[in-house]
Amino acid sequence: MRSLTPAFSIQKIAYSIIATCLMVSSQLFAQSDPVLFFEDSRPQKLKSMDIGSDFIKYQKMDDRIGTFYNILKSDIMLAFYPLGIYYVYSEAENDLIKVGYASVANNKIDKLVKKSGSVIAAEVIEVSMGNVKYKDLQTGKQLSVLTSELAIILYKDGKYQMYDAVEGVAKALLKASDIINGMDNSIAGSDFTVVNNNNNNSTGDDMVISDNVEISDDNIIGEEGLPAVRKEEFEEKSLAKTKELEDYLRLIANKNTKFQKANEAIDAAVKLFIDEDRVMEVSSKNRTTVKKYKIRTYFEKLKLLKYDDVRVSWSDISYVSNIRKGEDGNYYGIVTLQQKFEGFIDGRLVYTDVTKKNMTVILKTYDKYVVGEKQTLWDVYLGDIGVVQTE
Amino acid sequence: MRLILIVVNLCIALCATAQNEIQYFSDENFAFEVKQIDEFIERFNNSENTLIRQYIKDNYGTEELSREDILKSLFNQKNESWNLRDVDNFIEQIINRDYTLKFDDKDWYAKLDCSVDYLGEEFSMTMIMNIEKNPKSQAKKWVITSVDAQFLDIPESSDKSKSINPASHGTNFIALDRALEDTSNMKNYVSSGFKPDQLTLFMSLLSCRKISIKQVDRIQYHFLQIDGWAFSVKNFERNSKNSGWLIGKLERMDNYQKNEYKKSVLNLK
């Protein structure tokens, strides 16, 4: 018996140290830090993060030079970037699941995510002494829950507080992703727990549905007959896709990119398009002939250009047209932007051009059934691209 | 003072052009450029929250930009032969009657100068397109309304004397096959008033895969929906604030003249 007591004490101390470390590490990333957690739970605070079809590009918070790091999606367990959105890796889907927890649709609800993955729609009143006092938005009653039962609190303003190890938080958030995506400010008080995951996505498995933005009825853009999509959202997403494409182009044209990685980048770039029949048309104000390439052919040609370094810079300005419904039910618009491309060999600038790009962006809607009710969701893909060499 | 500066920027772009030719990567020019026909329509309509308004607000600190200023900036100012009185009257009418252009207006057309491959040879062809709206689904699409190409005309006969003789009926038109094999004199065998429908011919050649579009060389948009006026817009690609899709031609036109214009310039019936 005597021998067991010190062991118990040591174990207890160890537990408390572990618990303290856990709390410290949780507290470290609490509140307002954009952060990603690698698959081994290692954290990295973020300055920026761009998510492509297969790759993720990020900058470290404390890196003064601003180096970009590229990693595979599968290298990430969990990320909060920017505040209000979390990404959690799903092995089943072999992809990162994006969840907006402080989006326009659900930014009036604090989400208490339990370790089991269930979610309480709440208004947090006070967190103290390991206890969370909140108003339950379903019942209107004031209740409380122990923080030891919770994996994380996702606050409506985008901040968050973790109460479990990163792995536990990731598991809970993965389970809760559909519930949180289905939450709506207007339905606070209804049952959030029944979500049908049958994604009736007409685009097929190989298409990239990078976002599940629900179309609301009160934010209509453009002309009559358009879906209820906020123009800013469409513009942001369209521009993000065009920039993502350019990141791949830079990778493809850089000879330091390994052959396999360049091929992966080509595949990823092609997936940004609505289909492989889309065309890149290159013209020049000083040339009458126009060159047309199917996108994959264009990327393959680009791969043969081998620069030591490639720099792509953009004008700060871009124009996004209104979108209009086509006969196929998709919505079409054009993004126009100006880009400078510079290719270096042995540190010398050997090629440069300034181009104006007119990129077709296609808003494609698809239906998803939640609680037996059809919801129309959308995403943006690229279509044909016209490139005008202006210099 | 700021407003004057902007008007100077917008309306006296010629000076800016000269200065900006040496620039390499100009956000300013790109902001002012009318980058798409959609942006032309936005500016013509004096829409709120446009890119140019935001840019001027951000960079010149003013929102005092009149519709007149914007309309003037939509003209190609490198053209020194504008009839300024017509331009003023046109702008005055647009403002007074608050005219706006709609994407699905019926009376505007895209005129495309194309290069086509016909039986292995390159030819020029003009194609006229306009917007069609599905009243049920509200979907819109560009459709071809006419084409115009020399090679789609029936060639002049080499021998006017060749014809289907007036007694052919007596032999149950036995010579018809021989006549129609004589392709160098085809015109002799059809009614003298016959004018071939080139679009039908074009579609027929497309379906036989004897013709294909190589490229679109130039585009010009023709707007005929403003009472008493017609104007055309084309892309002036240059390093200047006054660049992009701009009005290149403005004409006073009544309805009769517009119909004639449609026939002669747009090859419409």
Side-chain angles (χ1 to χ4, degrees):
Chain A
M1 279 301 284
R2 286 186 66 187
S3 63
L4 281 175
T5 313
F8 178 70
S9 312
I10 291 165
Q11 207 174 25
K12 204 172 166 187
I13 292 164
Y15 278 145
S16 72
I17 290 169
I18 292 165
T20 310
C21 288
L22 231 156
M23 288 301 288
V24 167
S25 72
S26 297
Q27 293 291 337
L28 192 64
F29 301 105
Q31 308 295 323
S32 55
D33 294 323
V35 64
L36 74 79
F37 296 95
F38 292 98
E39 56 180 343
D40 57 1
S41 299
R42 197 164 29 96
Q44 176 58 60
K45 289 188 189 180
L46 296 172
K47 188 175 177 183
S48 75
M49 182 173 82
D50 281 332
I51 300 201
S53 300
D54 291 328
F55 298 93
I56 288 170
K57 190 173 68 178
Y58 69 90
Q59 287 174 295
K60 295 177 181 176
M61 176 78 87
D62 47 2
D63 183 356
R64 285 186 192 172
I65 301 166
T67 312
F68 283 96
Y69 297 87
N70 288 290
I71 50 174
L72 292 169
K73 284 181 174 178
S74 55
D75 293 334
I76 285 185
M77 182 192 290
L78 177 66
F80 294 89
Y81 187 86
L83 287 180
I85 293 174
Y86 74 75
Y87 295 87
V88 61
Y89 188 75
S90 161
E91 281 184 14
E93 297 196 23
N94 195 23
D95 203 355
L96 281 174
I97 309 292
K98 180 182 178 185
V99 180
Y101 61 89
S103 67
V104 180
N106 62 20
N107 63 0
K108 291 180 181 167
I109 306 166
D110 294 324
K111 292 100 190 158
L112 309 184
V113 183
K114 290 191 165 181
K115 287 177 179 172
S116 62
S118 63
V119 185
I120 302 169
E123 187 178 338
V124 174
I125 299 165
E126 187 185 24
V127 182
S128 72
M129 307 294 285
N131 198 39
V132 181
K133 276 188 196 167
Y134 65 94
K135 179 185 169 189
D136 188 310
L137 293 178
Q138 283 180 302
T139 62
K141 290 180 182 168
Q142 192 167 312
L143 300 168
S144 67
V145 62
L146 294 172
T147 54
S148 58
E149 289 179 47
L150 296 177
I152 189 170
I153 299 178
L154 301 169
Y155 288 97
K156 54 193 169 193
D157 62 357
K159 291 175 185 170
Y160 57 92
Q161 179 75 54
M162 292 165 69
Y163 294 102
D164 197 0
V166 178
E167 199 174 350
V169 172
K171 276 183 187 166
L173 286 179
L174 181 60
K175 279 185 191 168
S177 56
D178 276 334
I179 301 171
I180 296 170
N181 266 332
M183 279 186 171
D184 191 291
N185 292 329
S186 62
I187 57 167
S190 67
D191 180 8
F192 295 116
T193 55
V194 188
V195 175
N196 183 344
N197 285 326
N198 292 337
N199 187 349
N200 192 21
N201 175 11
S202 62
T203 59
D205 291 335
D206 56 337
M207 301 302 279
V208 191
I209 299 297
S210 65
D211 197 356
N212 288 341
V213 182
E214 189 176 342
I215 294 168
S216 65
D217 288 327
D218 51 355
N219 291 310
I220 297 169
I221 66 169
E223 301 185 335
E224 68 282 359
L226 294 176
V229 176
R230 284 190 308 119
K231 185 168 184 182
E232 302 80 41
E233 231 176 330
F234 169 69
E235 286 186 359
E236 275 172 24
K237 205 179 254 197
S238 300
L239 288 170
K241 292 275 170 162
T242 56
K243 297 280 168 70
E244 194 180 340
L245 174 67
E246 292 308 323
D247 287 339
Y248 289 129
L249 296 184
R250 194 166 48 189
L251 265 177
I252 295 165
N254 194 326
K255 83 172 182 190
N256 294 323
T257 306
K258 287 180 182 162
F259 189 75
Q260 179 58 25
K261 280 280 174 199
N263 285 342
E264 284 174 20
I266 289 175
D267 288 339
V270 167
K271 279 186 183 175
L272 294 173
F273 289 79
I274 193 108
D275 60 47
E276 286 210 22
D277 286 335
R278 298 308 104 190
V279 167
M280 189 85 76
E281 186 183 90
V282 183
S283 62
S284 167
K285 69 174 186 179
N286 301 319
R287 193 181 61 222
T288 53
T289 52
V290 169
K291 291 179 182 169
K292 267 186 195 176
Y293 308 96
K294 281 200 174 179
I295 45 168
R296 189 175 284 278
T297 312
Y298 179 82
F299 298 143
E300 293 289 351
K301 279 182 178 288
L302 203 65
K303 192 170 69 173
L304 302 176
L305 302 174
K306 287 298 179 191
Y307 299 109
D308 296 339
D309 190 19
V310 169
R311 284 182 209 159
V312 178
S313 51
W314 301 85
S315 57
D316 292 332
I317 297 157
S318 51
Y319 176 79
V320 184
S321 74
N322 274 343
I323 51 171
R324 298 187 177 92
K325 189 178 183 183
E327 284 284 17
D328 58 2
N330 295 330
Y331 292 80
Y332 293 81
I334 300 278
V335 174
T336 305
L337 32 81
Q338 203 178 26
Q339 177 207 283
K340 184 174 171 183
F341 180 98
E342 292 169 298
F344 295 85
I345 293 177
D346 295 332
R348 281 177 46 244
L349 180 67
V350 291
Y351 179 78
T352 182
D353 69 13
V354 175
T355 54
K356 187 172 68 177
K357 294 195 170 177
N358 293 313
M359 308 172 95
T360 310
V361 281
I362 303 165
L363 187 154
K364 191 174 179 69
T365 59
Y366 59 99
D367 295 331
K368 185 175 180 177
Y369 287 84
V370 179
V371 202
E373 201 173 301
K374 191 170 86 171
Q375 291 184 347
T376 306
L377 309 172
W378 61 278
D379 198 11
V380 171
Y381 301 92
L382 300 176
D384 296 329
I385 296 178
V387 184
V388 185
Q389 286 174 326
T390 56
E391 294 286 344
Chain B
M1 185 58 193
R2 272 180 176 160
L3 185 60
I4 293 167
L5 275 174
I6 294 160
V7 175
V8 166
N9 267 323
L10 286 166
C11 305
I12 313 175
L14 277 173
C15 306
T17 306
Q19 288 163 6
N20 284 315
E21 288 293 353
I22 53 167
Q23 287 195 12
Y24 186 60
F25 191 60
S26 167
D27 267 358
E28 179 101 340
N29 285 353
F30 189 62
F32 277 79
E33 179 187 350
V34 187
K35 292 166 277 298
Q36 295 173 25
I37 202 69
D38 296 75
E39 197 176 19
F40 175 89
I41 293 172
E42 263 182 26
R43 292 195 197 179
F44 187 97
N45 293 348
N46 199 25
S47 303
E48 290 176 1
N49 304 322
T50 56
L51 177 66
I52 190 66
R53 281 192 176 278
Q54 190 60 46
Y55 183 84
I56 287 170
K57 188 181 167 190
D58 291 347
N59 293 277
Y60 295 86
T62 181
E63 292 177 56
E64 299 171 61
L65 196 58
S66 71
R67 188 171 187 189
E68 186 183 346
D69 297 331
I70 292 182
L71 284 169
K72 280 182 180 169
S73 76
L74 292 177
F75 282 80
N76 168 30
Q77 287 151 9
K78 271 203 171 180
N79 176 5
E80 289 171 12
S81 60
W82 284 114
N83 180 333
L84 294 177
R85 199 172 155 192
D86 275 359
V87 172
D88 284 342
N89 288 346
F90 173 75
I91 290 173
E92 199 180 313
Q93 185 179 324
I94 298 297
I95 294 168
N96 290 345
R97 298 198 199 169
D98 198 19
Y99 273 119
T100 54
L101 303 174
K102 292 188 188 67
F103 191 75
D104 52 358
D105 277 345
K106 281 184 181 161
D107 244 0
W108 74 291
Y109 305 87
K111 185 177 183 182
L112 286 65
D113 293 333
C114 307
S115 298
V116 297
D117 185 305
Y118 173 51
L119 297 173
E121 270 189 76
E122 188 174 321
F123 292 92
S124 298
M125 190 181 83
T126 302
M127 186 181 280
I128 304 296
M129 303 184 78
N130 72 338
I131 288 289
E132 212 170 76
K133 184 164 135 183
N134 181 332
K136 208 172 174 185
S137 66
Q138 304 292 309
K140 290 159 196 167
K141 61 180 179 180
W142 282 102
V143 291
I144 304 168
T145 46
S146 78
V147 292
D148 187 12
Q150 254 185 356
F151 69 90
L152 291 174
D153 275 336
I154 299 179
E156 289 301 321
S157 302
S158 57
D159 183 352
K160 299 240 189 244
S161 68
K162 298 275 186 184
S163 68
I164 301 169
N165 74 62
S168 293
H169 59 286
T171 56
N172 290 342
F173 297 99
I174 205 167
L176 193 58
D177 57 345
R178 192 174 62 241
L180 296 184
E181 278 169 13
D182 177 20
T183 53
S184 56
N185 294 302
M186 282 189 298
K187 210 167 187 175
N188 298 354
Y189 305 115
V190 296
S191 154
S192 50
F194 173 72
K195 196 164 181 346
D197 176 354
Q198 295 200 334
L199 182 54
T200 309
L201 281 171
F202 174 65
M203 299 310 280
S204 171
L205 291 172
L206 276 179
S207 67
C208 304
R209 299 186 181 280
K210 288 184 175 168
I211 197 167
S212 60
I213 300 281
K214 284 188 78 177
Q215 66 182 57
V216 177
D217 300 311
R218 274 172 304 279
I219 303 170
Q220 202 168 13
Y221 293 95
H222 296 257
F223 292 83
L224 284 81
Q225 63 267 60
I226 306 291
D227 267 354
W229 300 94
F231 62 92
S232 60
V233 172
K234 62 179 184 179
N235 192 12
F236 295 89
E237 193 73 62
R238 59 193 178 211
N239 292 336
S240 158
K241 290 187 180 70
N242 182 235
S243 61
W245 294 97
L246 300 170
I247 298 174
K249 201 171 176 188
L250 174 72
E251 286 176 86
R252 285 181 189 273
M253 238 181 243
D254 59 25
N255 286 343
Y256 174 79
Q257 288 169 316
K258 281 184 185 177
N259 281 332
E260 291 302 306
Y261 185 84
K262 283 183 197 172
K263 285 179 198 165
S264 60
V265 178
L266 304 177
N267 201 28
L268 300 172
K269 284 177 184 170

